[in-house]
Amino acid sequence: TLYRVHKSIENRWQGPYDPEVFVHKGRLKKVVKVMLAYLPILYLIVNLFSLPNAIYWAIGDEPIFALWVLHGVFPPLRGALFALPYLFHTENRKQMNKTTIKAAFQ
């Protein structure tokens, strides 16, 4: 029986190469390449609305309500704004269907 177990393990062993991992890494490289183009721009946009309030707060006496609103609204939207490039990426949009979304939450 030990010989049978050894043979079954030997037949299933693929070594350190796993084709699924190789394909997954290739997909991730494509997505990351697209994200590296968009994320710095989005980060600048998000922080651009908070910067005037921080500067005015350092040198001004009375706070300006509109600057406080911009400062309070945009940083929490950072996650939603960073999700937009993933949404507009065509390969990601093709993979977003009901079954994959359900599988992601399980």
Side-chain angles (χ1 to χ4, degrees):
T1 59
L2 187 59
Y3 178 75
R4 286 185 202 159
V5 171
H6 176 69
K7 276 296 185 188
S8 66
I9 292 173
E10 186 178 279
N11 290 337
R12 286 183 286 166
W13 187 74
Q14 294 181 352
Y17 175 75
D18 187 6
E20 291 179 16
V21 171
F22 184 72
V23 170
H24 184 67
K25 283 183 181 181
R27 286 184 191 149
L28 283 177
K29 282 183 183 179
K30 287 181 184 178
V31 171
V32 167
K33 190 181 288 187
V34 171
M35 297 306 113
L36 286 177
Y38 292 114
L39 290 180
I41 296 167
L42 288 174
Y43 187 77
L44 178 68
I45 290 170
V46 168
N47 289 327
L48 193 64
F49 290 108
S50 300
L51 183 65
N53 186 38
I55 292 172
Y56 188 77
W57 193 18
I59 61 173
D61 294 330
E62 290 291 320
I64 298 175
F65 181 71
L67 291 178
W68 278 99
V69 169
L70 288 174
H71 191 99
V73 169
F74 275 92
L77 290 177
R78 185 175 291 153
L81 289 173
F82 287 172
L84 288 177
Y86 290 102
L87 182 65
F88 291 127
H89 192 250
T90 55
E91 279 190 35
N92 289 346
R93 211 174 31 230
K94 287 177 187 175
Q95 292 176 359
M96 286 187 215
N97 55 32
K98 201 172 190 177
T99 55
T100 57
I101 292 172
K102 280 184 179 180
F105 285 107
Q106 288 180 354

